[in-house]
Amino acid sequence: MSDLSTTAIAPGGGQLRERVRLLLRSRSGLIGLILVILLTLLSLASAFGWLPYDPLAQDPPSRLQPPSGAHWFGTDQFGRDVFVRVAAGVANSGLIAVVAVAFATVVGTLAGVFAGFYRGISDGVVTAITNILFAFPPLLLALALASVFERNWFTIAVAIAIVYVPIFIRVTRGPVLTLREVEYVKAAKSTGQSSIATVFRHVIPNLTSIIIVQVTLSLSWAVLTEAALSFLGLGAPPPAPSLGSMIFEARTLIMVAPWTMIAPGIVVVLLVVGLNLLGDGLRDSLDPRNRGKR
């Protein structure tokens, strides 16, 4: 990862096209991009009400119907369309994951940058907090935080974000220790530029590649964490559809209606795999050593 910190501060159009070309040439990156785009479109269709059924509407006469032309993924024990509920679950789980990772990115990046740039007491405090948070298994820490907060989508997102803040601190702090010693950062200081201006003009822009890759990977972990919390009953409260809660509700139906568990399970796998493959592709396309390769 440290090699990515040497990327250009403000890539021009040619560099951007080169990075896109490398991403599309990467088999894993292309597959991941396609999966993420398809699942994003599915979640948007649910969010804007473009799907044929209401994910919360019950239809008892249609309960436990197998997949068909009318219900692509079948129906559950209440006659609700599984495909529509899976789409709504992707939207809800995706929203929580995006908010959680956005919060973790901002807080963790700023904390890591300022700890690495200023060193001293601030670095010691941030490092100590990071080590304490890393001492707990991520899922266990998320469970503890989620059980304390009131159950709604935002507090679940905050609980997940707290778990991933130390990852961004550690990912950014290391490269900053190197960047603070490079010539153009020292030159900015010598010309009288304030340290805050130096951080935002010369340090943070050089971390863009690292942060982008870490965001993509953290999104996949956040999706898994949210699904695990929902499965354990600590996710967003019902009746809001969630992939984890759908799997939990279907555990007693696996013998009579396996599609109620298989559908959300496969979508979780596709979403996590897609984000991980996209992260791998982005890592390769943003690596300076791969530029110019044909």
Side-chain angles (χ1 to χ4, degrees):
M1 283 255 186
S2 60
D3 292 328
L4 295 178
S5 63
T6 60
T7 55
I9 293 178
Q15 289 181 346
L16 180 59
R17 286 191 296 271
E18 175 71 6
R19 293 178 181 182
V20 172
R21 184 188 66 81
L22 288 172
L23 175 61
L24 296 179
R25 286 192 61 196
S26 167
R27 181 174 300 178
S28 61
L30 181 59
I31 294 174
L33 181 62
I34 291 173
L35 287 175
V36 171
I37 289 176
L38 290 177
L39 291 171
T40 300
L41 292 175
L42 182 63
S43 66
L44 290 175
S46 174
F48 288 101
W50 295 337
L51 298 179
Y53 302 102
D54 183 344
L56 304 180
Q58 299 184 15
D59 184 16
S62 301
R63 62 190 299 270
L64 298 180
Q65 289 188 1
S68 63
H71 302 285
W72 293 353
F73 291 175
T75 60
D76 64 9
Q77 67 272 33
F78 300 109
R80 299 172 298 190
D81 186 89
V82 175
F83 174 77
V84 173
R85 287 183 60 78
V86 165
V90 173
N92 292 333
S93 299
L95 174 63
I96 292 174
V98 168
V99 172
V101 173
F103 180 87
T105 301
V106 173
V107 175
T109 298
L110 291 178
V113 167
F114 283 99
F117 190 81
Y118 289 103
R119 303 302 302 274
I121 296 177
S122 61
D123 187 24
V125 171
V126 170
T127 302
I129 295 174
T130 301
N131 291 335
I132 291 172
L133 291 175
F134 269 127
F136 297 93
L139 182 57
L140 180 61
L141 180 57
L143 280 170
L145 294 171
S147 63
V148 172
F149 296 146
E150 179 184 355
R151 283 181 60 195
N152 58 62
W153 74 268
F154 182 74
T155 56
I156 299 302
V158 172
I160 295 174
I162 293 174
V163 173
Y164 292 111
V165 163
I167 295 176
F168 283 91
I169 292 176
R170 183 161 292 182
V171 163
T172 55
R173 177 181 173 274
V176 170
L177 294 175
T178 302
L179 285 172
R180 69 193 299 267
E181 302 299 333
V182 299
E183 294 300 325
Y184 60 85
V185 172
K186 291 182 177 180
K189 294 179 183 179
S190 65
T191 58
Q193 188 174 96
S194 68
S195 57
I196 295 292
T198 301
V199 165
F200 282 97
R201 291 180 183 177
H202 301 290
V203 176
I204 291 181
N206 273 282
L207 300 174
T208 302
S209 299
I210 299 175
I211 294 171
I212 289 174
V213 174
Q214 187 59 50
V215 163
T216 308
L217 298 176
S218 294
L219 280 172
S220 66
W221 301 336
V223 168
L224 273 179
T225 304
E226 191 278 334
L229 291 177
S230 297
F231 182 85
L232 296 173
L234 291 174
S242 171
L243 297 175
S245 62
M246 289 180 67
I247 296 174
F248 176 80
E249 293 172 359
R251 74 194 190 285
T252 58
L253 304 172
I254 187 64
M255 299 304 295
V256 295
W259 56 86
T260 58
M261 177 176 287
I262 292 174
I266 289 178
V267 170
V268 170
V269 172
L270 290 177
L271 185 54
V272 172
V273 169
L275 287 168
N276 274 285
L277 290 178
L278 179 59
D280 288 341
L282 286 171
R283 180 192 58 204
D284 294 339
S285 66
L286 294 172
D287 191 335
R289 293 171 298 184
N290 292 330
R291 292 179 191 172
K293 290 185 178 180
R294 301 294 175 186

